[in-house]
Amino acid sequence: MGYRQRLLFMGLSDVAIVSLAVAIAYLVLSDLFRMFDSLVMFYILIGQIGFVIGLLAWTEMYRPVFKYASYTELIAIIKSVTVAEVLFFCSTSVVQYALSQIAIPPSFYLISWSFTIIGIGGSRFIWRVVNDTYRRRKPRRYRTLIVGAGNAGVLVARELTLSGESDYLPVAFVDDDPRILNLHVYGLPVVGKRIDIPEVVKRYAIAKVVLAMPSAPKETITDTLAICKECNVEVRILPRVSDLLCSDVSIKMIREVKIEDLLGREPVQLDPLKISQYLREEVVLVTGAGGSIGSELCRQIASFGPRKLLLVGRGEYSIFQIEQELSGKFPTVEQVAIIADIKDRKRIRDVMTTYRPSVVFHAAAHKHVPLMELNPEEAVKNNIFGTKNVAECAVECGVSKFVLISTDKAVNPTSVMGATKRIAEMLIQGLNDQCETKFVAVRFGNVLGSRGSVIPIFKRQIQQGGPLTVTHPEMMRFFMTITEAAQLVIQAGALAEGGEIFILDMGKPVKISDLAQDLVRLSGLVPHQDVRIVYTGIRPGEKLREELLTSEEGMGATNHDRIFVCKPTGHYWPVLSEQIKELEMVVTRTDYHCSKHDIVGMLQQIVPTYLHNGRQGEPVPETAANQSALSLPSLRFDQPQVEVSAK
């Protein structure tokens, strides 16, 4: 229906409503109106209709879409009808003598005003009642429980009810506030507290649960998710308050639960002053800038206002993507997209010489454990020689700080990847003693959402109906989000004095088989019933338990409660330097075929704790190095770390 047709239809219906209101007032006051002739009554009717319809049209009350009518429209209707009635009273008072010698009783105005508001207001809201009833009867809507009956919960209930895109049917709230228990909020009953969710799910045949607590602490969200996990319902969550400040709640904001929601850690608290002191108005270079960690580092660094940000990477499309993103978000920060391979020493030197960075974050590396077992020479070239190229060029060009992104797999490594990263740590510690550049490494474990992460693999397998593939039932890992890791790396750079290996607080370790089951449950399915979980065996280079410290390293606190530092271990630089040169000569010689066995042997000479395990499915040797993690209860690294991966 077009606007003109809509205006005609609603105008005629309002004329009928006003006429009916005048007729009711006439019948109620019939004794007083017997002395009026029919012409006077006609004038009264025309005047009433003219003023009411005219005011409604002038205040644009024919434009709102009344299937979304609210108290705002009702207030506007009351104001318009009231003004119309006052104007009609004034006009009849002025011309009263010409119409009749008898004054129109004041009760007439009150009665006609009341019934006009009831009629016009009711006609508007009947559209919403019909629309809401139709939407509630929409086929294939899932009965939904909303956790949190505050302002956010009400907004969610309203949006789920009114949105044409929604397949949710809100049926009840749960809330821990005892004052609203057993009451109704937005027409829905508050039927219990969070702890009652399993019972409520059964009683009301709930299929989906929406967490509408954007201002709740992380621990509360985690506890609620733990309760929901046992109910075999699909769980969705509303973003945190910080994500809602710039926009209204919409159905698209209600997202699926992420694994980081289950970690229960509060956001990282940074020291912006110290970070600004070494990043603001400086030229900062990030290698691997198109990768998961590298790109997040660039986003975080750009927020501190560097003079120039150099985005160095080998993949042109990933560098193009992050450059375009940063240009839109940080238009005042100059970004330079540089396609370069860290194995190309001349190219890296040219970049350093041209732009003269003062801070370097080295995130470029080969990280996939099984793939590096199959291609050890590439792991050596990229992780060791590439790091050596970037580090030595940084020294030549007078870089003040160099931050290496390392991994927990470098501790007592059982993989080629871990061994090469351990040598990279040793390399930058050795260089730190030879020059003025402050070299540091930052060591942490698995990152949620990174490329090759197990989480996207599990989600894809769930969508395909399973099975979920896990390498070992006892595999565990420390996890942190990409944002957490990047923020703590930048903060560690501010704490660097040179030669340290910083260790990030990863929280509690997570058993991967439990993680897989959690994802299945939060999708509203039953593990091992709706979706199978199969164990495929430990892959080459993997071990059950990762560690954060070698036996020679001790750990101390820093000024940041999420960052710890291990004391530098002495490496005889002349020997280490010669060993790396020998390894480089062997791997790069064109007249000599370097076998995997040769590479592994040389890596073991440089890293004596490297225990190679390259056979598919072979259990990791039960040595002190990988039987359990170092026990550091005061630092929350107090449980064994076990690695699980998905195929």
Side-chain angles (χ1 to χ4, degrees), residues 6 156 186 189-190 214 245 266 334 374 377 413 442 467 476 497 570 583 594 609 629 635 637 641 644-645:
R6 183 174 183 271
V156 168
Y186 195 72
V190 182
L245 292 178
E266 291 297 327
E334 181 182 355
L374 297 174
E377 63 279 3
V442 181
M476 296 174 72
E497 296 295 334
L583 179 61
C594 182
T609 58
L635 300 179
F637 301 140
Q641 306 174 49
V644 173
S645 21

Short mmCIF file of all heavy atoms in Angstrom, two decimals, residues 6 156 186 189-190 214 245 266 334 374 377 413 442 467 476 497 570 583 594 609 629 635 637 641 644-645:
data_model
loop_
_atom_site.label_atom_id
_atom_site.label_comp_id
_atom_site.label_asym_id
_atom_site.label_seq_id
_atom_site.Cartn_x
_atom_site.Cartn_y
_atom_site.Cartn_z
N ARG A 6 -2.47 4.72 1.77
CA ARG A 6 -2.43 4.54 3.23
C ARG A 6 -3.05 5.76 3.93
O ARG A 6 -3.81 5.62 4.90
CB ARG A 6 -0.99 4.34 3.66
CG ARG A 6 -0.77 4.07 5.15
CD ARG A 6 0.71 3.73 5.37
NE ARG A 6 0.97 3.40 6.76
CZ ARG A 6 1.29 4.29 7.69
NH1 ARG A 6 1.37 5.56 7.37
NH2 ARG A 6 1.51 3.93 8.94
N VAL A 156 16.79 -7.33 23.70
CA VAL A 156 16.92 -8.59 22.96
C VAL A 156 15.56 -9.21 22.74
O VAL A 156 15.23 -9.66 21.63
CB VAL A 156 17.85 -9.56 23.72
CG1 VAL A 156 17.76 -10.96 23.12
CG2 VAL A 156 19.29 -9.08 23.68
N TYR A 186 8.52 -7.36 29.83
CA TYR A 186 8.17 -7.33 28.40
C TYR A 186 7.23 -8.48 28.05
O TYR A 186 7.32 -9.10 27.00
CB TYR A 186 9.43 -7.37 27.54
CG TYR A 186 9.19 -6.99 26.10
CD1 TYR A 186 8.93 -5.66 25.74
CD2 TYR A 186 9.20 -7.94 25.10
CE1 TYR A 186 8.69 -5.31 24.43
CE2 TYR A 186 8.96 -7.60 23.77
CZ TYR A 186 8.71 -6.28 23.46
OH TYR A 186 8.47 -5.92 22.15
N PRO A 189 7.71 -14.16 31.52
CA PRO A 189 7.93 -14.41 32.95
C PRO A 189 9.41 -14.57 33.28
O PRO A 189 10.19 -15.09 32.48
CB PRO A 189 7.18 -15.73 33.18
CG PRO A 189 7.25 -16.42 31.86
CD PRO A 189 7.16 -15.33 30.82
N VAL A 190 9.79 -14.10 34.47
CA VAL A 190 11.13 -14.35 35.01
C VAL A 190 11.00 -15.59 35.87
O VAL A 190 10.44 -15.56 36.97
CB VAL A 190 11.64 -13.15 35.83
CG1 VAL A 190 13.06 -13.43 36.35
CG2 VAL A 190 11.61 -11.87 35.00
N PRO A 214 25.68 -7.95 28.78
CA PRO A 214 26.88 -7.35 28.19
C PRO A 214 27.82 -6.69 29.20
O PRO A 214 28.99 -6.50 28.91
CB PRO A 214 26.32 -6.32 27.21
CG PRO A 214 24.94 -6.02 27.73
CD PRO A 214 24.45 -7.30 28.32
N LEU A 245 28.18 0.32 22.43
CA LEU A 245 28.06 1.75 22.70
C LEU A 245 27.69 2.55 21.45
O LEU A 245 27.00 3.55 21.54
CB LEU A 245 29.39 2.29 23.27
CG LEU A 245 29.74 1.80 24.68
CD1 LEU A 245 31.08 2.37 25.11
CD2 LEU A 245 28.66 2.19 25.67
N GLU A 266 39.69 -11.67 32.16
CA GLU A 266 39.36 -10.27 31.93
C GLU A 266 40.30 -9.68 30.88
O GLU A 266 41.41 -10.18 30.68
CB GLU A 266 39.48 -9.48 33.24
CG GLU A 266 38.42 -9.83 34.26
CD GLU A 266 37.01 -9.51 33.79
OE1 GLU A 266 36.85 -8.51 33.05
OE2 GLU A 266 36.08 -10.25 34.14
N GLU A 334 50.76 6.83 8.72
CA GLU A 334 51.28 6.45 7.41
C GLU A 334 51.68 4.99 7.43
O GLU A 334 52.48 4.56 8.26
CB GLU A 334 52.48 7.32 7.04
CG GLU A 334 53.05 6.98 5.67
CD GLU A 334 54.27 7.81 5.31
OE1 GLU A 334 54.62 8.71 6.11
OE2 GLU A 334 54.87 7.54 4.25
N LEU A 374 57.94 -32.39 7.73
CA LEU A 374 58.09 -32.86 6.36
C LEU A 374 59.03 -31.98 5.55
O LEU A 374 59.59 -32.43 4.54
CB LEU A 374 56.72 -32.92 5.67
CG LEU A 374 55.69 -33.89 6.26
CD1 LEU A 374 54.34 -33.72 5.57
CD2 LEU A 374 56.18 -35.33 6.12
N GLU A 377 64.15 -28.29 6.02
CA GLU A 377 65.06 -27.29 5.48
C GLU A 377 64.39 -25.92 5.37
O GLU A 377 65.02 -24.87 5.59
CB GLU A 377 65.62 -27.72 4.13
CG GLU A 377 64.60 -27.89 3.02
CD GLU A 377 63.88 -29.23 3.06
OE1 GLU A 377 64.11 -30.03 3.99
OE2 GLU A 377 63.07 -29.49 2.15
N PRO A 413 62.24 -28.87 22.87
CA PRO A 413 61.47 -29.16 21.66
C PRO A 413 61.51 -30.63 21.26
O PRO A 413 62.50 -31.33 21.49
CB PRO A 413 62.15 -28.29 20.60
CG PRO A 413 63.53 -28.07 21.10
CD PRO A 413 63.42 -28.02 22.59
N VAL A 442 59.43 -12.94 23.10
CA VAL A 442 58.19 -13.12 23.84
C VAL A 442 57.65 -14.50 23.50
O VAL A 442 57.41 -14.82 22.33
CB VAL A 442 57.15 -12.04 23.50
CG1 VAL A 442 55.88 -12.26 24.32
CG2 VAL A 442 57.71 -10.65 23.75
N PRO A 467 32.89 -36.52 11.74
CA PRO A 467 33.35 -36.53 13.13
C PRO A 467 34.37 -35.42 13.40
O PRO A 467 34.97 -34.89 12.48
CB PRO A 467 34.00 -37.90 13.26
CG PRO A 467 34.54 -38.17 11.88
CD PRO A 467 33.53 -37.58 10.93
N MET A 476 46.50 -31.38 25.80
CA MET A 476 46.06 -30.11 26.38
C MET A 476 46.90 -28.98 25.79
O MET A 476 48.01 -29.21 25.30
CB MET A 476 46.20 -30.13 27.91
CG MET A 476 45.32 -31.15 28.60
SD MET A 476 45.64 -31.24 30.38
CE MET A 476 44.93 -29.69 30.93
N GLU A 497 64.70 -4.59 28.59
CA GLU A 497 66.01 -3.98 28.85
C GLU A 497 67.09 -4.61 27.98
O GLU A 497 68.20 -4.11 27.90
CB GLU A 497 66.38 -4.15 30.33
CG GLU A 497 65.46 -3.43 31.30
CD GLU A 497 65.53 -1.92 31.14
OE1 GLU A 497 66.60 -1.42 30.68
OE2 GLU A 497 64.54 -1.24 31.45
N GLY A 570 73.26 -18.37 29.59
CA GLY A 570 74.51 -18.04 28.91
C GLY A 570 74.74 -18.92 27.69
O GLY A 570 74.69 -20.14 27.77
N LEU A 583 75.44 -24.74 9.88
CA LEU A 583 74.10 -25.18 9.48
C LEU A 583 73.67 -24.49 8.20
O LEU A 583 73.10 -25.11 7.30
CB LEU A 583 73.11 -24.88 10.61
CG LEU A 583 71.64 -25.24 10.37
CD1 LEU A 583 71.48 -26.74 10.14
CD2 LEU A 583 70.78 -24.78 11.54
N CYS A 594 71.02 -32.36 1.49
CA CYS A 594 70.91 -32.37 2.96
C CYS A 594 69.64 -33.12 3.35
O CYS A 594 68.53 -32.68 3.04
CB CYS A 594 70.87 -30.94 3.49
SG CYS A 594 70.80 -30.82 5.27
N THR A 609 68.58 -30.15 24.26
CA THR A 609 67.31 -30.65 24.81
C THR A 609 66.32 -31.07 23.74
O THR A 609 65.20 -31.48 24.07
CB THR A 609 66.65 -29.57 25.70
OG1 THR A 609 66.43 -28.39 24.92
CG2 THR A 609 67.53 -29.24 26.90
N ALA A 629 54.48 -30.32 32.94
CA ALA A 629 54.98 -28.96 32.83
C ALA A 629 55.60 -28.53 34.14
O ALA A 629 55.38 -29.12 35.18
CB ALA A 629 53.82 -28.02 32.46
N LEU A 635 52.19 -18.61 39.64
CA LEU A 635 52.08 -17.89 38.39
C LEU A 635 50.95 -18.41 37.52
O LEU A 635 50.83 -18.07 36.37
CB LEU A 635 53.41 -18.00 37.61
CG LEU A 635 54.63 -17.44 38.35
CD1 LEU A 635 55.87 -17.62 37.50
CD2 LEU A 635 54.43 -15.98 38.68
N PHE A 637 50.68 -21.20 36.18
CA PHE A 637 51.10 -22.21 35.21
C PHE A 637 51.25 -23.51 35.98
O PHE A 637 52.27 -24.14 36.00
CB PHE A 637 52.43 -21.85 34.58
CG PHE A 637 52.44 -20.54 33.86
CD1 PHE A 637 53.52 -19.69 33.94
CD2 PHE A 637 51.35 -20.15 33.11
CE1 PHE A 637 53.54 -18.49 33.27
CE2 PHE A 637 51.36 -18.95 32.44
CZ PHE A 637 52.45 -18.11 32.52
N GLN A 641 50.64 -29.21 30.65
CA GLN A 641 50.15 -28.77 29.36
C GLN A 641 50.23 -29.93 28.40
O GLN A 641 51.22 -30.61 28.32
CB GLN A 641 51.02 -27.64 28.81
CG GLN A 641 51.15 -26.49 29.77
CD GLN A 641 52.13 -25.51 29.22
OE1 GLN A 641 52.04 -25.11 28.08
NE2 GLN A 641 53.07 -25.11 30.02
N VAL A 644 46.95 -31.00 21.70
CA VAL A 644 46.07 -31.76 20.84
C VAL A 644 45.86 -30.95 19.59
O VAL A 644 45.75 -29.76 19.64
CB VAL A 644 44.70 -31.98 21.50
CG1 VAL A 644 43.76 -32.61 20.54
CG2 VAL A 644 44.86 -32.85 22.70
N SER A 645 45.78 -31.59 18.49
CA SER A 645 45.52 -30.88 17.26
C SER A 645 44.48 -31.62 16.47
O SER A 645 44.24 -32.78 16.69
CB SER A 645 46.79 -30.72 16.44
OG SER A 645 47.74 -31.64 16.81
#
